[in-house]
Each structure stands twice: as C-alpha cells, then as structure tokens.
Amino acid sequence: MESFSLILAIVVVTALAFDFTNGFHDTANAMATTISTGALKPKVAVAMSATLNLVGAFLSVEVANTISKGLVDESGIRPEVIFAALVGAILWNLVTWLVGLPSSSSHALMGGLIGATIASAGTGAVHGDVLVTKVLLPAVAAPIVAGVAAMLATRFSYTLSRNSDGKAADKGFRVGQIASAGLVSLAHGTNDAQKTMGIITLALIAGGSIAPDSDPPTWVILSAGLAIAMGTYIGGWRIIRTMGKGLTDLRPQQGFAAQTSAAAVILASSHIGFSLSTTHAVSGSVMGAGLGRKGGVVRWSTATRMFVAWGLTLPAAALVGALAESVTDLGDWGTALVAVFLIASSTAIWIVSRRQVVDASNVNEFEEPAGVVTAAIAAVTPPPSVALSEGLTATIPSPPVTPAPVVKSDPATPPAAAV
C-alpha cells in the first residue's frame, strides 16, 4: 500500500465521509419513485440500492479519471487543497439534505475542488474546457434529455396498458419498476462512487504516494464503493420524500418510465466519462413522467426551489472550499481549525434535523401542497381515467351539485293573482 502522511490520511478519511453523505443524499435518485408507488418497502428498497451501488463501483473508472486527471492541474494541488474542497462539498450536501432538496453531490464536490484550487494556485490551474464540456453542459442537458425521454415513455406505457386489466397492469409495472430501480442504483454506483475514487486518487498523486496519471488503486475502488453503499443504506428520507411526493404524484407506469429513462442517461454518460449529476437526470425524468400522464401536473413551487439549489451548488461549494483553503494555508493549526469547524457544523445540522424526524415509517405520509400554478393547471385539466378490473375505464366524476331547497307556499295564503 502507498506511504501515507498524516494530512493524506485525513484527506482519505474525509473523502470517504463525503462518499457516505453522497450515498444517503442520493438514495432518492434510485428509490424515491419505487417507494412512493409502493413497489418496494422502504427498508428493502434502500438495502437493494446499497448492494447495487457497491457492485456498480467496480464497473468503470472513466469518471474517476475525469476528476483525477482532467478537471484541475495535478502539479498545483496539495493534499490540503483537496481537504478544503471536501469540506465545501460535505457541508453543502448536509445543508440541502436538511431542507430536503435533491441537489447534486457531484457538483458540490467539483465546486469545492474548483474553489480550493483557485484559492491555492489561481484560475490557470482549472481546465476550463473540461469544466464546460464534461460538467456544465451535461448538467444542463441531462434533466432535459431524461425529462423528454420519461414523458414519451410514460405516454407509451399508458398506451400499452390502455386495454389491459387495471390491477394486472399496475402489478406488471411495479415489477418493471423494481428492475429499473436496480438499474438506476447500479448506474449511481458506477457514476457517483467514481467521483470519490477520483478525488482520493488525486490526493495520492498530490501527496506523492502514486505516480501521476495513475488509475485508482483497488483499495480505493473498494473503500469508495463500501462508503457510498453504507450511506445509501442509511436512507436520505428527507430527499426521498421530496423526490417521491413533492414533485409530482407518480403511478407505477410513471415510476417505471422515469427510472428507465434516468438509468439510460446515467449509464451512457458514465461510459463517455461525463461527470454527470444523477440528481439532475432523475429529477428531470420524474418531472417528465409527471407531465406524461393525462391529468398529471408538476409542483413547480418545489421544482423552482430545486432549480435554485442546482444553480447555487457550484458557487456555494466553491466559496466554502476557497475559504477553507485560505485557512489551511496557515499551517497545521489552520487545517486542524477547519477540521473542527467541519465536525461542529455537521453535528449542529444533525441536531437540527432531529426536531422533525423523517424516516422509513413516515416518508410517504406527507404531500407537498400545490402551488398557484399547479392548482390552476389542475383546475382546467380533465380528470384522469381510472382503470377498472374488467379492462374498461371510467372518468372520476365531479362532486354532485346540491339543488337549492324549494320553498313551499303556505296553504292558508291565497295564490297571487295572475296578471
């Protein structure tokens, strides 16, 4: 095994801590729709996702190489810089988890790395072409591509099941949804676990433990896979609630279409080496599935908050990473101060989260109230058809209108004379 200094050991431990937060922060990407539609029990869903995350970590190293070899100049990086980058990424993950917003762990990591690198070595140490082509463009394209694919797949799914038995169709799509959820989990391990592999490999190169341009060592792949799997098993229930109930109301056909579309986009990007945000892909597919069903709507108030978080992720993590790097640059005591700040902040966020606990027992009990736009769309949209057991469909009737009471005249009072 490579020779380790104390700071390098701290960086590796911190990177695995980030990987753990990545796991529970992004569990919703694979399992939110499966849990919300009842295809799997919550605990079974996260256990399945954790196992497949671990398997997926061994399938490729293309994304890891993008981070360790392409995004920043390795020669200008010290282990302290990577530690500062991880601080920015972890704190952003925890803050967005606390408020239940599905933001991108990938962009938090890269934002922290960019900010810390600029603070240490200047803007020239960041490879702008790689940032644009393999990070920013996929960030914009992924939710659009996944959303359009999921919308079309949802309409196709409803067309296929139009003349089938309602209960049998739901059961079949739930089975398909379990399979597609497993595919998303595998894709998540393939894409997101590699980001931690890349950051640890970059730290090992910066610390002189391995040669430049090296691929991630086997122990790095294994430890990153285990860390993200453990985090996934914990379950990020707050974000699962938002993704499964807060964006739209999903049925089995929609859940199957959303997860299949997201998995295809994520696996394709991993093969190419794009450091794609699985959160962006899955969120886009969930919204597309919501719009693909007749009568379905997206809660744009929730979506807007999510879009704002996406836009803030890179700059916010970069700012924290740059500030942390400025403190670590003061020496060992500065690094120790940043470590204490990270631990104290993480503990405070956890304590605040205990005031309103969200877990497997109540993750499906809450629904985001509809905003003004959603209510207006629902008011002018025809009610959805409900499948009957005989294979027919019926439209949900509107509430009956109660007629005004008829006032009878007093028999003792003579009727008014006709004019």
Side-chain angles (χ1 to χ4, degrees):
M1 182 178 291
E2 297 80 4
S3 59
F4 268 67
S5 62
L6 177 59
I7 183 60
L8 194 54
I10 292 174
V11 170
V12 171
V13 171
T14 308
L16 294 177
F18 164 78
D19 207 22
F20 180 82
T21 67
N22 190 355
F24 73 73
H25 193 279
D26 289 2
T27 307
N29 294 343
M31 291 299 170
T33 60
T34 306
I35 292 171
S36 68
T37 61
L40 282 176
K41 298 293 185 183
K43 283 292 187 181
V44 175
V46 295
M48 170 183 165
S49 184
T51 302
L52 291 171
N53 270 197
L54 178 59
V55 174
F58 288 88
L59 297 184
S60 173
V61 293
E62 292 301 321
V63 175
N65 289 337
T66 295
I67 293 177
S68 65
K69 301 177 184 179
L71 187 58
V72 297
D73 186 2
E74 300 169 1
S75 61
I77 300 298
R78 298 174 295 113
E80 290 84 355
V81 175
I82 299 172
F83 174 63
L86 290 166
V87 170
I90 290 173
L91 289 180
W92 183 256
N93 269 0
L94 292 178
V95 168
T96 50
W97 163 77
L98 179 65
V99 297
L101 284 177
S103 67
S104 171
S105 298
S106 308
H107 288 181
L109 176 61
M110 284 176 282
L113 181 60
I114 291 168
T117 300
I118 292 174
S120 174
T123 56
V126 177
H127 298 157
D129 55 337
V130 176
L131 175 64
V132 172
T133 58
K134 291 201 172 185
V135 178
L136 296 181
L137 289 180
V140 175
I144 297 174
V145 173
V148 171
M151 182 173 65
L152 296 176
T154 298
R155 293 179 178 176
F156 182 65
S157 297
Y158 274 103
T159 299
L160 286 179
S161 59
R162 179 183 300 167
N163 297 321
S164 62
D165 178 83
K167 292 182 178 179
D170 281 355
K171 183 177 180 180
F173 278 109
R174 283 194 176 96
V175 172
Q177 194 178 358
I178 293 172
S180 62
L183 192 59
V184 174
S185 297
L186 194 70
H188 182 252
T190 303
N191 196 282
D192 277 38
Q194 288 191 57
K195 296 173 179 106
T196 300
M197 297 177 206
I199 209 74
I200 294 177
T201 303
L202 183 59
L204 294 174
I205 293 172
S209 296
I210 61 176
D213 294 326
S214 297
D215 287 338
T218 302
W219 70 266
V220 172
I221 298 174
L222 178 61
S223 59
L226 287 172
I228 200 170
M230 290 172 61
T232 300
Y233 183 72
I234 293 295
W237 303 111
R238 292 171 181 271
I239 299 177
I240 289 176
R241 169 185 282 183
T242 300
M243 192 83 81
K245 292 289 186 180
L247 276 175
T248 186
D249 297 316
L250 293 178
R251 297 179 182 175
Q253 292 92 330
Q254 295 167 282
F256 171 74
Q259 289 176 315
T260 303
S261 302
V265 171
I266 296 167
L267 287 172
S269 66
S270 297
H271 178 72
I272 299 171
F274 287 160
S275 188
L276 178 74
S277 168
T278 55
T279 301
H280 289 189
V282 175
S283 299
S285 68
V286 168
M287 287 187 281
L291 294 174
R293 175 174 64 87
K294 183 179 180 181
V297 293
V298 172
R299 295 183 177 92
W300 292 110
S301 57
T302 303
T304 300
R305 295 199 304 272
M306 189 174 65
F307 294 151
V308 171
W310 289 2
L312 291 176
T313 297
L314 273 169
L319 178 61
V320 175
L323 293 174
E325 161 56 21
S326 299
V327 177
T328 60
D329 199 37
L330 298 176
D332 292 343
W333 69 271
T335 302
L337 184 62
V338 172
V340 170
F341 173 75
L342 174 62
I343 295 171
S345 301
S346 301
T347 303
I349 291 172
W350 182 83
I351 291 173
V352 172
S353 74
R354 296 297 90 192
R355 296 177 181 175
Q356 185 179 4
V357 178
V358 181
D359 55 24
S361 65
N362 64 0
V363 67
N364 279 334
E365 292 179 1
F366 170 83
E367 289 192 13
E368 183 82 6
V372 176
V373 176
T374 301
I377 294 175
V380 299
T381 303
S385 297
V386 178
L388 302 177
S389 58
E390 292 83 2
L392 303 176
T393 59
T395 300
I396 300 175
S398 302
V401 179
T402 304
V406 178
V407 180
K408 297 181 179 181
S409 61
D410 187 346
T413 302
V419 178

